[in-house]
Amino acid sequence: MAQPAQGVQWGGYDPWTVVPPPAERERKTVSRRGAWIAVLLIALVAGCLGGGIGAYAERDRASGGVDVKLPQAPVEKEARSPGSVAGIAARSLPGVVTIHVRGSAEEGTGTGFVLDKRGHILTNNHVVQSAGTDGDISVTFNSGQDAKAEVIGRDTGYDLAVIKVDRVSGLTPLPLGNSDSVRVGDPVVAIGAPFDLAGTVTSGIISAKERPITAGGEKEDGSDVSYVDALQTDAPINPGNSGGPLVDRKARVIGINSAIRAADDGSGLGGGQGGSIGLGFAIPINQGKRVAEELINTGKATHPVIGVTLDMGYTGDGARVNTKGAGGGAPVTAGGPGDKAGIEPGDVITEVDGVRVHSGQELIVKIRSHRPGDRLGLTVRRDGKERAAELTLGSASSG
């Protein structure tokens, strides 16, 4: 009978070694694995601690052994000077609103300011005109409060409109200044929502007065053209500033921001999206106050007229009276202000109260800057000779 091979049965056998049972061998294998994991964890923690200690030591060497604390001024709680831009803004902002308009075909953003405790707000006509008869107008106050608004009256000739909010408490009307007191170089602050950035405050000066500005003119009959004898300012205003207040150093409104000369095409705030180049124009508050009162009281505004039809295509210097009236009518209204002053068809009006006018548009702007019933002194050229004429302005309704 063959014997089992010794190398197979006993190979590698050590008689002095105690061979553990299988279960105990498995426990020792697991124990060794746990030991290795513990060693790795200890090494990882030691590395982190070493890195942290090294970083702290490096920071400690860089700072000279102390924690760095930078000096800073304390919070200043005292109010700003009332005449500073910050002081003017603090008094004016509560009375300024951002206007959002949504019509059937378009929507837009503008600005307005509170006129009285009854909720009347003054803005530009071109801000609210897209609402039409069935659009939506909402206003947001500086406090964040929202309210619906309705149109009380608007006038395209002056580019002004009055809207009204109801059931809003804590209204802050802005005081109105006198635009006749404004001087070139006076500091001013403009407040509005350029590009829908509500409560934006910019500052500048009055750059010029009595700038003849026209805007609109999309209708063929020219009935939507606005004529403004504007205040010019370099306070930056942009699309969305329309209808916002231009205030003096006593926080009194002296103008309604309405148009800019843009870097692209010179369109007003109601048109393109060109940015400010420091040429902004505001409707004088004296004109705005009169129109606002009429819109609130009657829903319409009156325009001063001289009772003549002008030749808007005339390229010479001055404003020429047409030789033919519109629609076959008389170019000089019989019994009207111009007729009573002796103005005839073909006459050229060159001055208004001693101020030169160079076109029919400039004449209309000068006339619109007055009230019906005001007396004006004109210089009229006829057959190469000039003569003086005086007239009393008549009245026409915007409706």
Side-chain angles (χ1 to χ4, degrees):
M1 180 176 208
Q3 297 290 324
Q6 294 292 324
V8 173
Q9 186 174 359
W10 305 107
Y13 169 72
D14 185 351
W16 307 108
T17 299
V18 178
V19 178
E24 186 175 347
R25 286 200 301 271
E26 290 178 4
R27 284 195 300 271
K28 287 187 177 182
T29 301
V30 172
S31 176
R32 291 191 191 99
R33 189 178 299 131
W36 277 110
I37 292 173
V39 170
L40 289 174
L41 288 175
I42 291 171
L44 180 61
V45 171
C48 292
L49 287 174
I53 293 171
Y56 181 83
E58 181 66 25
R59 189 196 70 177
D60 194 48
R61 285 194 298 272
S63 62
V66 297
D67 289 336
V68 174
K69 292 186 178 180
L70 301 176
Q72 184 180 23
V75 176
E76 298 177 354
K77 297 183 179 180
E78 63 269 18
R80 297 295 186 262
S81 169
S84 67
V85 174
I88 294 169
R91 286 184 286 169
S92 301
L93 279 168
V96 181
V97 302
T98 301
I99 302 173
H100 292 96
V101 179
R102 178 174 293 126
S104 58
E106 57 182 315
E107 58 184 61
T109 302
T111 309
F113 59 93
V114 179
L115 291 172
D116 55 29
K117 293 284 188 178
R118 297 171 58 194
H120 292 110
I121 294 169
L122 184 61
T123 186
N124 282 135
N125 174 64
H126 75 256
V127 169
V128 300
Q129 67 180 357
S130 61
T133 57
D134 57 355
D136 179 75
I137 302 175
S138 64
V139 301
T140 303
F141 293 85
N142 189 61
S143 63
Q145 182 180 8
D146 294 320
K148 296 293 183 181
E150 62 174 345
V151 175
I152 298 301
R154 59 192 188 93
D155 182 90
T156 57
Y158 288 111
D159 192 23
L160 291 171
V162 173
I163 61 177
K164 188 175 184 293
V165 295
D166 291 318
R167 295 185 294 276
V168 176
S169 60
L171 293 173
T172 306
L174 295 188
L176 305 184
N178 192 313
S179 48
D180 288 343
S181 301
V182 174
R183 298 291 180 268
V184 174
D186 282 350
V188 290
V189 171
I191 304 177
F195 298 101
D196 207 11
L197 298 172
T200 296
V201 176
T202 56
S203 65
I205 62 169
I206 293 294
S207 304
K209 297 175 59 177
E210 300 179 350
R211 291 295 199 203
I213 301 298
T214 60
E218 296 180 1
K219 296 182 179 180
E220 292 184 1
D221 61 359
S223 61
D224 62 338
V225 177
S226 302
Y227 297 91
V228 179
D229 205 21
L231 299 173
Q232 180 183 328
T233 179
D234 68 347
I237 56 178
N238 289 283
N241 272 107
S242 291
L246 186 70
V247 300
D248 63 14
R249 60 184 178 182
K250 294 184 179 179
R252 302 173 302 193
V253 182
I254 57 170
I256 303 102
N257 300 317
S258 300
I260 61 171
R261 177 73 180 185
D264 53 356
D265 58 4
S267 58
L269 292 188
Q273 296 292 301
S276 172
I277 58 172
L279 293 174
F281 303 94
I283 300 170
I285 194 58
N286 289 17
Q287 184 173 319
K289 175 180 179 294
R290 178 182 72 82
V291 174
E293 289 171 345
E294 292 185 345
L295 293 177
I296 293 171
N297 294 327
T298 68
K300 300 178 181 179
T302 57
H303 298 167
V305 295
I306 61 175
V308 303
T309 302
L310 298 176
D311 180 2
M312 302 304 287
Y314 178 62
T315 58
D317 192 53
R320 186 172 70 176
V321 179
N322 251 329
T323 56
K324 295 181 180 180
V332 178
T333 304
D339 185 33
K340 293 179 180 178
I343 296 177
E344 297 180 0
D347 283 353
V348 178
I349 300 172
T350 60
E351 293 183 4
V352 177
D353 285 340
V355 178
R356 297 287 297 185
V357 292
H358 303 284
S359 66
Q361 289 183 338
E362 286 192 22
L363 177 61
I364 296 174
V365 167
K366 292 299 180 186
I367 297 300
R368 291 281 180 89
S369 67
H370 292 80
R371 295 172 177 264
D374 285 353
R375 291 188 62 82
L376 298 182
L378 305 180
T379 299
V380 181
R381 186 174 67 242
R382 182 187 303 164
D383 298 329
K385 297 180 180 180
E386 291 189 341
R387 70 179 186 87
E390 288 192 359
L391 58 75
T392 300
L393 293 172
S395 176
S397 173
S398 62

